[in-house]
Amino acid sequence: MKNKIVAGNWKMNNTFSEAEDLLLAIAEGIDGMILETEIIICPPFLYLEMAADIAEESNFYVGAQNVSTEEKGAYTGEISASMLKTSGVDFCIIGHSERRTLFGETNTDLRKKIDVSLANDIIPVFCVGEHLADRETEKHFEVVKNQLEESLFHLDTNQFEQIIIAYEPVWAIGTGITATPQQAQEMHAFIRSVIEQKYGTEHAYNTYILYGGSCNAQNALDLFMCKDVDGGLIGGASLNVNDFIEIINAAETSTKNN
Ligand code: PEP
């Protein structure tokens, strides 16, 4: 039995007190639950330390949403992987489509972010996914394969074991349009097959591949029941404690019924 991972990407939302309230509400909501599911909360940088303090008394991990390509130095406004690690962060989202599209991050930049994260003992949650035009022209498999190859496939097997992948079709992020379970399963199985060719069957099986893109309390169970979907990266629905806890419950149910 493989357990699930549910990660919440808060993006640029919540004031300090709203963030504190939400973190405490999540901690209270999962208090006393015996969970197979690993929970990762990814708030904005400013709230990471607070999240890490609350996480110490709770049952979730803390992730950042981004990290600098550089280790340290004259990079005004940037946050390094060692800063994250020493603030209690264990995970980092890398390659979110908003970073790729709005901030021009390339597969080469992301490869550096992967390396610097691993060097600082931070587990990358590496996002891949195609734009609608790629899917409409049947290039979606090729696009995702390139993203994997160009940012991850320089890693040796021991390093690759640390990686979590999130398949997030860009057309589904924040749009309310979710990939169907069939579409998600098809791409997740493809990603696993690409990993298998490079790193072998065992590593392919062990790699966590999360689905992200308008996953919510209503559709999470159907998505999580897919054979190759190992949990979710949740944006909008992670900002509402009740929805987020329902998604965690869906992950638990799917683990027990798979
Ligand atoms: C995301 O930003 O990673 C995401 C999946 O967003 P949403 O769930 O809001 O589509």
Side-chain angles (χ1 to χ4, degrees):
M1 183 180 74
K2 193 171 172 190
N3 64 349
K4 298 278 194 298
I5 295 176
V6 171
N9 174 15
W10 289 9
K11 312 193 190 195
M12 196 173 72
N13 289 297
N14 287 330
T15 62
F16 191 92
S17 64
E18 287 166 349
E20 186 175 30
D21 289 349
L22 182 53
L23 288 163
L24 291 171
I26 293 167
E28 195 185 319
I30 59 177
D31 187 34
M33 284 166 86
I34 299 167
L35 293 171
E36 306 282 353
T37 306
E38 309 277 10
I39 302 163
I40 308 168
I41 312 284
C42 304
F45 284 135
L46 275 176
Y47 311 145
L48 288 171
E49 253 190 277
M50 169 168 66
D53 285 346
I54 294 171
E56 264 190 30
E57 307 292 317
S58 184
N59 198 6
F60 65 86
Y61 295 95
V62 178
Q65 299 172 17
N66 186 24
V67 64
S68 174
T69 52
E70 307 304 323
E71 286 275 5
K72 66 189 292 191
Y75 301 99
T76 302
E78 289 290 275
I79 303 285
S80 73
S82 64
M83 291 174 189
L84 295 179
K85 192 65 200 180
T86 53
S87 302
V89 172
D90 291 313
F91 295 84
C92 184
I93 299 172
I94 293 178
H96 191 281
S97 73
E98 287 151 18
R99 301 291 324 167
R100 292 175 186 265
T101 308
L102 303 174
F103 300 96
E105 294 187 1
T106 64
N107 288 339
T108 312
D109 298 327
L110 301 175
R111 173 184 167 129
K112 286 194 203 158
K113 292 186 181 208
I114 293 283
D115 290 346
V116 87
S117 297
L118 290 176
N120 285 280
D121 208 13
I122 288 183
I123 298 176
V125 179
F126 181 68
C127 302
V128 295
E130 80 285 357
H131 287 264
L132 187 57
D134 301 322
R135 186 164 275 268
E136 285 173 347
T137 51
E138 296 190 2
K139 293 206 182 89
H140 46 304
F141 294 118
E142 185 188 324
V143 166
V144 168
K145 188 170 185 220
N146 276 344
Q147 291 170 335
L148 294 167
E149 285 178 347
E150 291 182 16
S151 300
L152 296 183
F153 280 10
H154 63 292
L155 299 175
D156 66 28
T157 306
N158 289 337
Q159 292 171 315
F160 189 82
E161 272 179 0
Q162 308 295 312
I163 305 287
I164 295 169
I165 291 170
Y167 168 56
E168 299 208 306
V170 181
W171 46 271
I173 297 178
T175 57
I177 302 166
T178 318
T180 62
Q182 293 73 16
Q183 287 171 321
Q185 170 56 30
E186 183 184 38
M187 182 58 89
H188 282 232
F190 172 74
I191 292 171
R192 217 178 285 289
S193 74
V194 173
I195 297 170
E196 184 173 15
Q197 280 162 33
K198 171 77 181 168
Y199 293 102
T201 310
E202 195 184 329
H203 290 293
Y205 173 80
N206 288 337
T207 302
Y208 277 83
I209 309 175
L210 314 184
Y211 170 79
S214 298
C215 181
N216 58 36
Q218 286 71 47
N219 59 31
L221 184 58
D222 285 344
L223 288 159
F224 295 169
M225 286 301 290
C226 296
K227 179 170 163 281
D228 288 293
V229 176
D230 301 315
L233 178 54
I234 317 297
S238 71
L239 296 169
N240 177 296
V241 66
N242 294 330
D243 288 351
F244 193 58
I245 300 235
E246 270 196 55
I247 293 169
I248 293 166
N249 281 327
E252 288 288 296
T253 306
S254 67
T255 302
K256 288 187 183 98
N257 292 297
N258 254 340

